[in-house]
Amino acid sequence: MRPSGRAPDEMRAITIETGYTKHAEGSCLISFGETRVLCTASVEERIPPWLRGKGEGWVTGEYSMLPRATHTRGQREAAKGKQSGRTQEIQRLIGRSLRAVVDHKKLGERQITLDCDVIQADGGTRTASISGAWVALRLAVDGLMKSGDITQDPITAKVAAVSCGVYQGTPVLDLDYPEDSNADADANFVLIEGGKIAEAQATAEGAPYDEEAFLRLLRLAQMGCAQIFKAQDEATRK
Amino acid sequence: MRPSGRAPDEMRAITIETGYTKHAEGSCLISFGETRVLCTASVEERIPPWLRGKGEGWVTGEYSMLPRATHTRGQREAAKGKQSGRTQEIQRLIGRSLRAVVDHKKLGERQITLDCDVIQADGGTRTASISGAWVALRLAVDGLMKSGDITQDPITAKVAAVSCGVYQGTPVLDLDYPEDSNADADANFVLIEGGKIAEAQATAEGAPYDEEAFLRLLRLAQMGCAQIFKAQDEATRK
Amino acid sequence: MRPSGRAPDEMRAITIETGYTKHAEGSCLISFGETRVLCTASVEERIPPWLRGKGEGWVTGEYSMLPRATHTRGQREAAKGKQSGRTQEIQRLIGRSLRAVVDHKKLGERQITLDCDVIQADGGTRTASISGAWVALRLAVDGLMKSGDITQDPITAKVAAVSCGVYQGTPVLDLDYPEDSNADADANFVLIEGGKIAEAQATAEGAPYDEEAFLRLLRLAQMGCAQIFKAQDEATRK
Amino acid sequence: MRPSGRAPDEMRAITIETGYTKHAEGSCLISFGETRVLCTASVEERIPPWLRGKGEGWVTGEYSMLPRATHTRGQREAAKGKQSGRTQEIQRLIGRSLRAVVDHKKLGERQITLDCDVIQADGGTRTASISGAWVALRLAVDGLMKSGDITQDPITAKVAAVSCGVYQGTPVLDLDYPEDSNADADANFVLIEGGKIAEAQATAEGAPYDEEAFLRLLRLAQMGCAQIFKAQDEATRK
Amino acid sequence: MRPSGRAPDEMRAITIETGYTKHAEGSCLISFGETRVLCTASVEERIPPWLRGKGEGWVTGEYSMLPRATHTRGQREAAKGKQSGRTQEIQRLIGRSLRAVVDHKKLGERQITLDCDVIQADGGTRTASISGAWVALRLAVDGLMKSGDITQDPITAKVAAVSCGVYQGTPVLDLDYPEDSNADADANFVLIEGGKIAEAQATAEGAPYDEEAFLRLLRLAQMGCAQIFKAQDEATRK
Amino acid sequence: MRPSGRAPDEMRAITIETGYTKHAEGSCLISFGETRVLCTASVEERIPPWLRGKGEGWVTGEYSMLPRATHTRGQREAAKGKQSGRTQEIQRLIGRSLRAVVDHKKLGERQITLDCDVIQADGGTRTASISGAWVALRLAVDGLMKSGDITQDPITAKVAAVSCGVYQGTPVLDLDYPEDSNADADANFVLIEGGKIAEAQATAEGAPYDEEAFLRLLRLAQMGCAQIFKAQDEATRK
């Protein structure tokens, strides 16, 4: 029995509010239940030094939690003077996931930064971030195509992410905080619409897992991402 | 003529949405027009080292801009590894302003941290922060009184802040970004309900100003804060 | 009764010893009573990146306390690895104050850095810094004009600063440390010769103040700055 | 055809030289072909603050590359003043992997730090680190059991790690640098002797992969780890 | 021929102005010609953690250059966020040199910090720092003995330092900046009154030197320190 | 009697294993008894900014201890976020020592970085580092001459270093850790083959020393370096 009463394969409600901030070229507030992340896409007509002159663009991600997004207040990373290992791991994951669906040649020599700032945390902040970042990216690229800065769509597919885990012996979809903090195993899947995998990470927190459990988690992730792809579609069609 | 078409003594619309996040003991999203700041109050049963054993509490403030709160993306302070002078100046001001209306003895040996995170910036982020922080503080203290942790109200009055400035020769109230970036003089007033001043800061950006101009700015601030006090009142009565 | 026995409107002795160090293009040791600050002006033929190609110069300030300038030793900011919020606030104020009396076009594409290092502290270090920095700047600009590097004087007026405060209910001029650490309100005024205000900051430390008190503090500051302008004049005429 | 001429399911030569340094409680130099990592286990009779009083121990990992372990010299992280995101990600993985096979109650209130310093890099440094860290840990725990500090063996199983990837369309085992830098997908598996998985991470670098490819990579990893378990066994039996 | 016209064994004028700042327990402004260093001794009734409970005190040194002590302005170490290797090397030398003449048992469980801040630099700042730090220490200890906090003098001897070098083939005493920046070899000697050596450091900057040259430099240092001991004596007798 | 049973003028066994790592242009693992340092020379076709356009090269050194090179584990400097004063002092010494035997004109506009990483420490790590760095440099330069990048040998002589000290009243050669941590005086000599001195540093740790003791230490260092020169010769002839 899940603390929330959800069925093992039941996602939390997904909502995506586009245009949440006015300055960003693309933005949305994405919610997976009580987890809320503000995702913005910022287009800059400059490129990291190592890419200069190659005629290619770059997509990168940044991630942060507001200090009181969580149950107890966390110290600001800006005040501590450095980003935690967890933060850096997540922002590297966000960047890799989005780059998996971007044709950098078609993007042209510009950089798009996807900022994912967690307003409220209840498990699954990194997967909500990736899923929302795609929406922000889509909106920003739509703008570049409308203005004629880009002529061919550089986005090759939708990408979405969801967490799964083994909670009290049962594989479940879309862990919330009470589940996440007690799971035996914890997995994050980044899937591409059409069936391919961009990234799979499955960690044994309590007891190690076997191949069969892994495959069940992957199956759940496929079900979850299907719903996220649908929500992304509706949000960006508007 | 102001870019927004407002009269010189006209505030932007003030909205205060309380309970914006579920974990914080008090929270609100405050808007001064397009400027939006999330203010949370976090209560912790610990005290800075220099206050230990004095039977007093402490109120402090922190401030940050999300990277794409502004027209062009700013680098994250956490990534840079330090907070800018501007950030530190503002968070010191927030802390001082709120402490001006708190009786630290009545608060007891606990700390309340007021986090002000700017979601969208259009001028006046520090004054919206102070005004919203008071609401978050009020809600957190209400909770402490309801639970019996505090028996006497430590908040002595409302505090609010607003910016004023000399724009194209005319003193105006509540500068938005287009005004703020072109003002001859720029002032921030932190006022206490009842007529007293907690803090006044007036800086000549372009041309120096005289005593008369300063007094006109103060008069505008008093008008603006009267409206903020009313909005604070409505928000915390609910 | 002031701890020093001074009248409410009585400044401490002001002395300005020019040419205190031999390498700087302009320098002085300024004293407000026991507060002693070494101010140097360094001319560099380079400009911050954002000003390049505009044909304008830049004036900036830096501030530091020697570790044992104070009653008890403070840790070196270089050893701590960062400058405090207070230090950054003060050096931003010094820079703004001096820029208020400089025509950047006439200065040409060069930067002048005003370093204010507090040798001994007894209240009013930031105001002594600003007042002494003007002398160092004046001397450095005199050198640039003598050498022909500058043809039109870029300094438009004298600028000076003084602190005032409400001490035991009475507004007093030029707070020393015993007053500063017990004042109800504490103000710093940066005034321009001729009557204009470059910056006014008044903070309620204990009890909030009202408009009338503010105006009395401004009046005291005008009296104090008149004396500083005279001392600056004598120091730079020599 | 692999650049090294190896068969797709062929590991590089594994060597483990135990007792490589004299001060550490356990140590080895592990080689996966030309990749060489010095792994040391340091036992300290102290525990992180959040574990105090729980009667449990802690196992943690740290990772670094010597500046010229690689083809071109990298700047020292100590000189840059911070550890990269990659370094932090790897050291978190090392710690988690080893903790998956340790019973913290049986370890008692002590910490074992596993330092993995890459002497020479040719692909697979993180997987060699984990595999060698287990040997260092085993030796250190053997010492604690011999001295009577620990009475029941806290190590529950062997753990080993190996990288696999899709190189030019073919899933291959134990990527070396020329393969790693050109792989379409890159996976790291941390396996526990007996068939369970501690951690699986598979990233699409070039083209996304499907479930079948993932399973083939896992099969290869199982083959590779079987060889590493054997080498660990021989090294710790001596 | 030396640029200054001095004879090879001629020191620059030494002046020591005691009581230069009012807060420090001991202080002086020491000059070796145009090199001027403010040395303060701060007594604190606390001890570094590793000395606690041993009944011993500690003497340590810190060193800094004001940004415009030199010909061209140097960036503040506090702004850069770290102390240079040179600064750290010098402050370690100052601490070791003074500890060589202090009986830590007689000092009791207190720490004396010797801050050496270079007001103006013209070669020999570290040697002037050590020589002046001894005076500040002597004055601080005199105060502790007068107040009865210490009953037996913990200072066992005078210590002084001077630089020497091989300039255009000739060993010379007390290098000034034009010599220092062109010397073939550069040595710093820290000598104890009575003939012993606390520290000798001789570096070949241009051409390596031989034993005979080293001994001539030592002879010059002995002559120079004799004069410094005399100046220290006069300064602390007053 | 020395703890190791060595005669006062007896070095520990010196071994130099060249080609220890495959990527570096020159490398060796040098041992002075149980002290083991990995020295690599990295050639880069770039030059520090201040040398650009002068037609000269640069040689620099870096130094680090692996965390468990010592009896008890030390925190990583990369994790602390800064290099200690000791580390910086040593790496400055390594660079100066090697530059003393390099003709920078003949080296051409390239930089050689000598990384000295201590694998195991038992006293004398800095002197082993310098002695091994020369071997790595020699090998790297041999490669540059063989490839024709350099036509005239820029290395003017061998350089080696050894520590000496006064241990229980007796001057002894090549201190190991038990001696080093209890010596009255501790000296490091960097000598150039042929009899000249590049650097001499002698520090009184316990009791100050006199000129005669210093000369005896120098004599021991000359004996020790003769043996190191021989080992360097054999290692680089192979």
Short mmCIF file of all heavy atoms in Angstrom, two decimals, chain E residues 216-236:
data_model
loop_
_atom_site.label_atom_id
_atom_site.label_comp_id
_atom_site.label_asym_id
_atom_site.label_seq_id
_atom_site.Cartn_x
_atom_site.Cartn_y
_atom_site.Cartn_z
N ARG E 216 79.65 35.22 2.95
CA ARG E 216 79.75 36.68 2.93
C ARG E 216 78.39 37.33 3.18
O ARG E 216 78.29 38.34 3.88
CB ARG E 216 80.33 37.16 1.59
CG ARG E 216 81.80 37.60 1.80
CD ARG E 216 82.34 38.31 0.61
NE ARG E 216 82.61 37.35 -0.47
CZ ARG E 216 82.93 37.68 -1.71
NH1 ARG E 216 83.01 38.96 -2.06
NH2 ARG E 216 83.17 36.76 -2.62
N LEU E 217 77.34 36.72 2.62
CA LEU E 217 76.00 37.25 2.86
C LEU E 217 75.62 37.13 4.34
O LEU E 217 75.06 38.05 4.94
CB LEU E 217 74.97 36.50 2.00
CG LEU E 217 75.10 36.65 0.48
CD1 LEU E 217 74.04 35.82 -0.24
CD2 LEU E 217 74.98 38.11 0.05
N LEU E 218 76.00 36.01 4.93
CA LEU E 218 75.73 35.82 6.37
C LEU E 218 76.46 36.88 7.20
O LEU E 218 75.90 37.45 8.14
CB LEU E 218 76.14 34.40 6.78
CG LEU E 218 76.07 34.06 8.27
CD1 LEU E 218 74.69 34.34 8.87
CD2 LEU E 218 76.43 32.58 8.50
N ARG E 219 77.71 37.15 6.81
CA ARG E 219 78.48 38.18 7.53
C ARG E 219 77.78 39.54 7.44
O ARG E 219 77.65 40.26 8.44
CB ARG E 219 79.91 38.26 6.91
CG ARG E 219 80.97 38.62 7.89
CD ARG E 219 81.21 37.52 8.94
NE ARG E 219 81.93 36.39 8.41
CZ ARG E 219 81.63 35.11 8.63
NH1 ARG E 219 80.60 34.78 9.39
NH2 ARG E 219 82.33 34.14 8.11
N LEU E 220 77.31 39.88 6.26
CA LEU E 220 76.60 41.16 6.09
C LEU E 220 75.33 41.17 6.95
O LEU E 220 75.01 42.19 7.58
CB LEU E 220 76.22 41.36 4.61
CG LEU E 220 77.36 41.69 3.65
CD1 LEU E 220 76.89 41.60 2.20
CD2 LEU E 220 77.93 43.08 3.94
N ALA E 221 74.63 40.05 6.97
CA ALA E 221 73.39 39.98 7.75
C ALA E 221 73.68 40.20 9.23
O ALA E 221 72.90 40.86 9.94
CB ALA E 221 72.70 38.64 7.53
N GLN E 222 74.80 39.66 9.69
CA GLN E 222 75.16 39.86 11.10
C GLN E 222 75.40 41.34 11.40
O GLN E 222 74.98 41.85 12.44
CB GLN E 222 76.39 39.00 11.46
CG GLN E 222 76.03 37.51 11.55
CD GLN E 222 77.21 36.58 11.44
OE1 GLN E 222 78.27 36.95 10.93
NE2 GLN E 222 77.03 35.33 11.90
N MET E 223 76.06 42.02 10.47
CA MET E 223 76.27 43.46 10.64
C MET E 223 74.94 44.21 10.65
O MET E 223 74.72 45.09 11.47
CB MET E 223 77.14 43.99 9.49
CG MET E 223 78.56 43.45 9.52
SD MET E 223 79.46 43.88 7.98
CE MET E 223 79.34 45.68 8.06
N GLY E 224 74.07 43.86 9.72
CA GLY E 224 72.78 44.54 9.63
C GLY E 224 71.93 44.29 10.86
O GLY E 224 71.34 45.22 11.43
N CYS E 225 71.89 43.07 11.30
CA CYS E 225 71.03 42.76 12.46
C CYS E 225 71.54 43.42 13.73
O CYS E 225 70.74 43.79 14.60
CB CYS E 225 70.89 41.24 12.63
SG CYS E 225 69.77 40.51 11.40
N ALA E 226 72.83 43.60 13.81
CA ALA E 226 73.37 44.31 14.99
C ALA E 226 72.73 45.69 15.08
O ALA E 226 72.35 46.16 16.17
CB ALA E 226 74.89 44.41 14.90
N GLN E 227 72.59 46.34 13.93
CA GLN E 227 71.96 47.67 13.94
C GLN E 227 70.47 47.59 14.26
O GLN E 227 69.93 48.48 14.92
CB GLN E 227 72.16 48.34 12.57
CG GLN E 227 73.62 48.69 12.28
CD GLN E 227 73.79 49.30 10.90
OE1 GLN E 227 73.06 50.22 10.55
NE2 GLN E 227 74.74 48.80 10.13
N ILE E 228 69.83 46.55 13.75
CA ILE E 228 68.39 46.41 14.03
C ILE E 228 68.18 46.13 15.52
O ILE E 228 67.29 46.70 16.15
CB ILE E 228 67.74 45.31 13.16
CG1 ILE E 228 68.00 45.58 11.68
CG2 ILE E 228 66.24 45.21 13.42
CD1 ILE E 228 67.61 44.42 10.75
N PHE E 229 69.02 45.25 16.09
CA PHE E 229 68.89 44.97 17.54
C PHE E 229 68.99 46.26 18.34
O PHE E 229 68.26 46.47 19.30
CB PHE E 229 69.99 43.98 18.00
CG PHE E 229 69.82 42.58 17.46
CD1 PHE E 229 70.91 41.87 16.95
CD2 PHE E 229 68.58 41.94 17.47
CE1 PHE E 229 70.77 40.57 16.46
CE2 PHE E 229 68.43 40.64 16.98
CZ PHE E 229 69.52 39.95 16.47
N LYS E 230 69.90 47.12 17.92
CA LYS E 230 70.08 48.41 18.62
C LYS E 230 68.81 49.26 18.49
O LYS E 230 68.33 49.84 19.49
CB LYS E 230 71.28 49.15 18.02
CG LYS E 230 71.84 50.23 18.90
CD LYS E 230 73.28 50.58 18.55
CE LYS E 230 73.57 52.02 18.94
NZ LYS E 230 73.52 52.96 17.81
N ALA E 231 68.26 49.33 17.29
CA ALA E 231 67.03 50.11 17.08
C ALA E 231 65.86 49.52 17.87
O ALA E 231 65.04 50.25 18.44
CB ALA E 231 66.69 50.17 15.59
N GLN E 232 65.78 48.19 17.93
CA GLN E 232 64.71 47.52 18.70
C GLN E 232 64.86 47.87 20.19
O GLN E 232 63.88 48.12 20.90
CB GLN E 232 64.79 46.00 18.53
CG GLN E 232 64.38 45.50 17.15
CD GLN E 232 64.58 44.00 17.00
OE1 GLN E 232 65.47 43.43 17.63
NE2 GLN E 232 63.78 43.36 16.15
N ASP E 233 66.10 47.88 20.62
CA ASP E 233 66.39 48.17 22.01
C ASP E 233 65.94 49.58 22.37
O ASP E 233 65.26 49.80 23.38
CB ASP E 233 67.90 48.01 22.24
CG ASP E 233 68.22 47.82 23.70
OD1 ASP E 233 67.75 46.81 24.28
OD2 ASP E 233 68.90 48.69 24.27
N GLU E 234 66.34 50.53 21.53
CA GLU E 234 65.95 51.93 21.77
C GLU E 234 64.43 52.10 21.74
O GLU E 234 63.87 52.82 22.55
CB GLU E 234 66.60 52.84 20.72
CG GLU E 234 68.08 53.08 21.03
CD GLU E 234 68.85 53.64 19.82
OE1 GLU E 234 68.18 54.02 18.84
OE2 GLU E 234 70.09 53.67 19.87
N ALA E 235 63.79 51.44 20.81
CA ALA E 235 62.35 51.62 20.65
C ALA E 235 61.58 51.07 21.84
O ALA E 235 60.56 51.64 22.25
CB ALA E 235 61.87 50.93 19.37
N THR E 236 62.05 49.98 22.42
CA THR E 236 61.29 49.34 23.50
C THR E 236 61.72 49.82 24.87
O THR E 236 61.05 49.54 25.85
CB THR E 236 61.40 47.80 23.41
OG1 THR E 236 62.80 47.44 23.42
CG2 THR E 236 60.74 47.27 22.17
#
